[in-house]
């Protein structure tokens, strides 16, 4: 059994930004941060969905500047700490300094699960600035536990005080979560915490988060009404209820969390966040959401099922930046179809 | 580890009827049954949400007659069996005979988890008619495993070929599901199957269904897009994906299930089926949905939080028919509030 007292990081104003195409206003951010602060949640992350510097042609422009969001959230909260996400390559040390000037206390440095190396400078600088520093291993389902452990150790050696197993594609089931969290917990120094970030693409975000805590995670991500990319994240209010039933102290007050989800976030949702055909396919195939549009286009062009393309990309463990593989796979599937192999 | 080959019963056209206030047309039923049949799902249940005879002032009138729905579904399917639900007290043996005449092959006889006795006649008659017969123990979270086992044994002794643990309020977590399914599996004769029916009020319907299979259940209920009462049931298409990943053969083809949910059921959903404030409160408190309206009325009248009323009713294990307790609880909470006890 894991630790029974954990800290939750809410990502409504960061991962949730994906679900509203980064179009929350500063007033939205204030309303959501205020409602979150009243729940007692430990940390509130607020950044472009792709982290500091994410507002761009490639990742979509935010409605307002990063500094305006962060200042608004920092001014609003009374109890929660404020965090920003940073992906080295998108965000720079300069972005981090500007974010720190707004009053945030936590930085989370995210890399692909095999690329912890590129987090060294940012983690080091963050510690020098006195920020609580978290390492975030994205797409953690793509590598075996042993590989993940080595990457986590790197982040810890750079100074990360917590390392997260991040199920970016919502592709993990409870057994895998238990295995990977346990492996990190056993391999990392006692003073380094282990965290878990879920997506609900396979409908098991709450159960996965519970499994992570049972395996020794003391940090869990969640968002109000599950607002987040794909099928969304672990819903904060649901996790608060379930954790309480399971005897885990999250520090999150249930009724204020329910009210924040229902009265503050749901009315601001641009579309329902749910496990629908597209998000379920992502979780089933274990691929990036950035592949979806390309896969649907290629599917139409070559007369194959986009899902078969995505499943094949998942099997080949294609990563972001290898989008050209999508057409190759589509062509191959179309040929196989021609020679009469039955589709799924 | 449980059996790796299971049979799924789809309840879109029965539990899902609650979510559309029993207003599916015969044409809707045909479209949904046809799409389900193409998924390869073993059994399709189609009845008023409260079972045969449910169409009434008390439980809400169906759009069409039970016989019309059942005949349409039986005519449509080529592979799946067709089932009807019956709650003794609402449905009679006469209803069951009329349903059998439409061509159904399975009957599920449902009682409150402590009232298996009242299923004896209906289970006996169903077996005489040559119907595959299932016992359904509703609100199974309300009693300890030992009590549930005794009730399940009664149903088996009357002739039930399967007995279900039914989490009507969506109030169970995985540990409880494992415990209760294991207890039934160990206590019942080998030839009697154990089933599990989930609701998603705590966001764990898929994980609970998986836990049930691991504990020995060979029958699982699900519905397309989770259409069902409260926060809905285990979504069939999500469970199909997760079961496949977990090495469980459900006989359900994934892509047709995804397509049926997305193209046939979602466009027919009157409202989103989700874990919102009301359905989460139900699961957290472990109470009947029939209490909700009364609790909200009493809450307004006495100036207390409806959630506190529901949680208190759950603690007192109030059952259907005891709705007069709701006002008593509201009055008590209002008094406690006056004497200055802090609310949740």
């Amino acid at each position: 059994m894991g630790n029974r007292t954990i800290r939750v990081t809410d990502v409504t104003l960061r991962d949730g930004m994906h679900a509203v195409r980064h179009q929350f206003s500063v007033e939205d951010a204030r309303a959501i941060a205020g409602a979150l602060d009243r729940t007692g949640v430990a940390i509130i992350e607020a950044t472009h969905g792709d982290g500091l510097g994410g507002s761009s042609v490639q990742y979509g422009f935010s409605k307002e500047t990063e500094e305006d969001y962060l200042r608004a959230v920092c001014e609003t909260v009374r109890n929660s700490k404020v965090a920003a996400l940073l992906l080295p390559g998108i965000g720079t040390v300069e972005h981090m300094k500007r974010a720190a000037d707004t009053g945030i206390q936590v930085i989370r440095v995210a890399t692909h699960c095999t690329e912890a190396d590129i987090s060294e400078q940012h983690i080091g600088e963050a510690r020098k600035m006195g920020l609580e520093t978290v390492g975030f291993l994205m797409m953690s389902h793509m590598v075996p536990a042993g590989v993940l452990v080595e990457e986590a150790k790197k982040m810890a050696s750079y100074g990360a005080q917590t390392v997260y197993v991040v199920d970016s594609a919502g592709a993990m089931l409870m057994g895998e979560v238990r295995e990977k969290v346990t492996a990190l917990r056993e391999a990392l120094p006692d003073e380094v915490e282990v965290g878990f970030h879920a997506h609900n693409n396979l409908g098991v975000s709450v159960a996965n988060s519970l499994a992570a805590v049972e395996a020794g995670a003391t940090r869990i991500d969640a968002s109000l009404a599950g607002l987040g990319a794909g099928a969304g994240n672990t819903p904060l209010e649901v996790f608060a209820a379930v954790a309480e039933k399971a005897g885990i102290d999250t520090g999150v007050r249930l009724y204020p969390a329910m009210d924040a989800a229902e009265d503050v976030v749901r009315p601001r949702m641009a579309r329902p966040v749910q496990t629908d055909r597209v998000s379920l396919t992502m979780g089933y195939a274990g691929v990036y959401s950035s592949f979806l549009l390309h896969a649907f286009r290629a599917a139409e062009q070559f007369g194959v099922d986009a899902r078969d393309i995505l499943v094949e990309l998942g099997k080949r463990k294609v990563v972001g930046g290898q989008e050209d593989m999508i057409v190759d796979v589509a062509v191959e599937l179309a040929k196989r179809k021609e020679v009469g192999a039955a589709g799924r």
Side-chain angles (χ1 to χ4, degrees), chain A:
Chain A
M1 285 309 237
N3 200 305
R4 309 316 283 179
T5 301
I6 65 164
R7 278 197 294 162
V8 174
T9 298
D10 180 275
V11 298
T12 310
L13 289 171
R14 200 278 302 165
D15 213 321
M17 282 287 194
H18 287 298
V20 298
R21 298 174 181 271
H22 318 285
Q23 295 305 301
F24 275 142
S25 68
V26 161
E27 279 319 303
D28 291 329
R30 273 187 211 279
I32 293 168
L36 279 170
D37 191 57
R38 287 189 288 277
T39 70
V41 72
I43 299 170
I44 299 170
E45 186 172 69
T47 332
H48 183 282
D50 297 290
L52 295 172
S55 180
S56 61
V57 176
Q58 297 97 304
Y59 301 104
F61 286 103
S62 299
K63 185 177 180 74
E64 323 237 11
T65 74
E66 206 69 87
E67 286 77 16
D68 284 344
Y69 286 124
L70 286 174
R71 257 191 301 268
V73 173
C74 288
E75 282 167 17
T76 302
V77 298
R78 298 179 172 217
N79 305 299
S80 308
K81 290 185 181 179
V82 180
L85 182 76
L86 183 147
L87 280 68
I90 300 177
T92 63
V93 171
E94 189 48 44
H95 284 118
M96 193 161 69
K97 282 183 182 154
R98 290 208 299 262
D101 287 343
T102 67
I104 67 166
Q105 295 127 302
V106 183
I107 191 89
R108 308 210 299 174
V109 182
T111 76
H112 184 69
C113 60
T114 55
E115 293 173 16
D117 309 62
I118 65 168
S119 67
E120 180 167 10
Q121 187 200 3
H122 299 82
I123 289 176
E125 289 295 325
R127 289 299 303 273
K128 279 188 212 152
M129 290 181 211
L131 295 168
E132 183 185 329
T133 306
V134 175
F136 213 65
L137 291 166
M138 298 186 293
M139 300 293 274
S140 282
H141 73 285
M142 291 186 74
V143 293
V147 175
L148 204 62
V149 159
E150 292 313 309
E151 299 295 307
K153 280 184 182 170
K154 287 182 198 166
M155 284 182 160
S157 75
Y158 305 151
Q161 295 152 295
T162 300
V163 181
Y164 264 72
V165 175
V166 180
D167 184 14
S168 313
M172 291 188 184
L173 297 183
M174 289 68 80
E176 185 178 353
V177 173
R178 258 181 232 113
E179 184 202 357
K180 288 180 174 172
V181 169
T182 300
L184 260 64
R185 184 59 283 157
E186 285 172 359
L188 295 175
D190 286 351
E191 67 275 16
V192 176
E193 291 188 76
V194 176
F196 178 70
H197 173 101
H199 279 269
N200 203 35
N201 297 60
L202 293 175
V204 292
S205 62
V206 173
N208 275 350
S209 301
L210 202 58
V213 175
E214 284 166 359
T218 48
R219 306 286 293 271
I220 293 292
D221 282 9
S223 68
L224 291 168
L227 195 78
N233 299 105
T234 304
L236 179 66
E237 67 283 5
V238 182
F239 183 65
V242 166
E244 189 188 315
K245 279 187 172 262
I248 297 161
D249 180 5
T250 62
V252 176
R253 294 167 63 222
L254 179 58
Y255 292 180
M258 285 177 166
D259 293 339
E262 199 79 12
D263 300 329
V264 183
V265 170
R266 275 199 216 285
R268 290 180 164 85
M269 281 165 85
R271 56 171 187 83
V273 167
Q274 59 194 3
T275 305
D276 57 15
R277 179 163 49 196
V278 169
S279 59
L280 176 56
T281 300
M282 257 185 75
Y284 177 72
V287 295
Y288 287 93
S289 55
S290 62
F291 289 2
L292 292 174
L293 185 61
H294 299 284
F296 281 100
R297 276 191 197 143
E300 196 167 337
Q301 191 180 346
F302 297 98
V304 295
D305 193 317
R307 292 173 288 202
D308 286 327
I309 299 177
L310 292 165
V311 168
E312 187 60 31
L313 293 168
K315 278 187 196 152
R316 295 186 189 184
K317 300 196 179 299
V318 174
V319 297
Q322 297 183 305
E323 279 79 0
D324 52 323
M325 290 275 294
I326 295 173
V327 170
D328 297 352
V329 166
V331 170
E332 236 181 272
L333 289 174
K335 277 186 193 156
R336 269 193 240 166
K337 205 175 156 190
E338 268 176 31
V339 298
R344 268 195 78 78

